[in-house]
Amino acid sequence: MEWAIISIILVVVVVFVALTIKIVPQQRVGVVERLGKFNRLLTPGLNILIPVIDQVRTYHDLRIQQANVPPQTVITKDNVQVQIDTIIFYQVVGPEEATYGISDYVYGVRNISTATMRQIIGKLELDETLSGREKISTDIRLALDEATEKWGVRIERVEVIDIKPPLDIQEAMDKQMKAERSKRAIVLEAEAAKQDMILRAEGDKQSKILKAEGDKEARIRQAEGSRQAQELEAHGEAKAIQAVAEAEKSRIELIRSAGLDEHVLAYRSFEALAEIAKGPANKVFLPTSAVETLGSLGAIAEVFKASKDSK
């Protein structure tokens, strides 16, 4: 009997402790109601409650959560049905508002996301929808922020995972893509051929320019060589003429130093003429002016002989 009483007491104590002491882990909070009315929040760590009077309504995870929105089929501005998958990242920043502001904020976020997506896609054409994922995500996030602000929930990010157009549209897009790729290949090939022709023409042009420059340089060098040869030849002739003149000058100076004047030279000339006239086939004709000087030849001869005898 005593053991039964002790057991009951132990059970009561355990239940009392369980209802009194609450340990909350990090990044979680509990909403406490006292007699059915919001009282306070349980913070991470050890918390004391009044049994029966205080009750924990719910716990909220303060970490960033994600909610997958089921694939939605929406119609674009040009009446094309597309299927869009999205994912939403959110965080509870107001546990009290998240508890009393809406019964299920996750469900509310999904519904608002779906409705907003239909409105946004309905204003876009198919091409804009396929290329405007970032714009769609931004517009959905702004619409959710405006609605969830009073729920104590903050939308961190909205990502459009996939956009699937109908099968026939996909096949048409594939054909268009293949045609575009073929066109790009043809254009690139033509551009490569054009560049090749340009490079070949440029190379040929440069080759001709270099050849012309080489011919020009050769002609210049050849002309320069001819000019230098002519200068050297003229210089040599000038040197030869100068040497002959110097020799003639020296000879004349020697004749003058020997005392031979113009009369002696004239006599020598007539002697040379006499020797030339001795030949049987030689005839010498003298001008009349020369005859006048013959009268003085005797005197010249006598002078010359006298000079030889004195020697």
Side-chain angles (χ1 to χ4, degrees), residues 131-151:
S131 60
R133 293 191 179 190
E134 185 175 355
K135 181 179 183 303
I136 296 172
S137 300
T138 303
D139 291 344
I140 294 175
R141 186 179 63 82
L142 292 176
L144 288 174
D145 277 339
E146 184 178 355
T148 59
E149 183 179 2
K150 54 188 176 183
W151 298 346

Side-chain angles (χ1 to χ4, degrees), residues 12-259:
V12 171
V13 171
V14 170
V15 172
F16 180 82
V17 171
L19 294 175
T20 303
I21 299 175
K22 296 291 182 180
I23 298 176
V24 180
Q26 185 67 31
Q27 287 297 97
R28 289 178 65 89
V29 294
V31 177
V32 178
E33 292 179 347
R34 177 169 294 177
L35 300 177
K37 183 181 179 181
F38 173 75
N39 180 257
R40 68 181 188 278
L41 296 176
L42 296 182
T43 58
L46 182 65
N47 294 271
I48 305 297
L49 300 177
I50 301 175
V52 181
I53 297 177
D54 291 340
Q55 293 183 352
V56 179
R57 170 72 178 268
T58 184
Y59 288 95
H60 292 285
D61 195 335
L62 300 182
R63 296 174 297 177
I64 295 177
Q65 305 292 317
Q66 67 179 29
N68 294 320
V69 179
Q72 301 293 321
T73 301
V74 295
I75 300 176
T76 62
K77 185 178 179 180
D78 48 355
N79 296 323
V80 178
Q81 290 185 352
V82 293
Q83 188 175 11
I84 301 179
D85 292 344
T86 56
I87 185 171
I88 300 172
F89 296 88
Y90 65 92
Q91 184 180 19
V92 176
V93 294
E96 182 181 356
E97 291 83 358
T99 303
Y100 301 102
I102 188 173
S103 60
D104 189 346
Y105 56 83
V106 177
Y107 185 71
V109 166
R110 289 176 178 173
N111 288 336
I112 292 179
S113 175
T114 301
T116 305
M117 187 187 306
R118 293 181 184 276
Q119 294 177 0
I120 295 172
I121 300 301
K123 299 177 182 179
L124 301 176
E125 295 184 355
L126 178 61
D127 293 339
E128 296 175 337
T129 302
L130 295 176
S131 60
R133 293 191 179 190
E134 185 175 355
K135 181 179 183 303
I136 296 172
S137 300
T138 303
D139 291 344
I140 294 175
R141 186 179 63 82
L142 292 176
L144 288 174
D145 277 339
E146 184 178 355
T148 59
E149 183 179 2
K150 54 188 176 183
W151 298 346
V153 177
R154 181 176 61 200
I155 304 300
E156 297 290 340
R157 191 176 183 85
V158 177
E159 290 291 342
V160 177
I161 299 175
D162 192 14
I163 300 177
K164 295 181 180 179
L167 184 60
D168 55 343
I169 300 295
Q170 290 184 8
E171 292 177 354
M173 292 174 60
D174 291 339
K175 292 180 180 179
Q176 182 180 2
M177 186 178 297
K178 290 180 181 179
E180 186 67 25
R181 288 178 178 175
S182 300
K183 177 182 177 181
R184 290 181 182 177
I186 294 172
V187 171
L188 290 176
E189 186 177 356
E191 186 67 23
K194 175 183 176 182
Q195 291 295 329
D196 181 66
M197 293 177 63
I198 291 174
L199 291 176
R200 288 179 182 273
E202 187 68 24
D204 185 58
K205 175 184 176 182
Q206 291 296 329
S207 176
K208 291 180 179 179
I209 290 174
L210 291 176
K211 183 178 180 182
E213 290 290 338
D215 294 341
K216 177 182 177 182
E217 185 69 21
R219 289 195 298 270
I220 291 173
R221 291 181 179 274
Q222 185 178 2
E224 184 68 22
S226 299
R227 185 182 65 81
Q228 291 181 359
Q230 291 177 2
E231 289 181 355
L232 291 175
E233 185 177 357
H235 185 69
E237 290 179 356
K239 289 289 186 181
I241 293 172
Q242 183 179 2
V244 171
E246 292 290 337
E248 184 66 18
K249 179 180 179 182
S250 299
R251 186 180 68 83
I252 293 172
E253 290 178 355
L254 290 174
I255 291 173
R256 288 179 178 177
S257 63

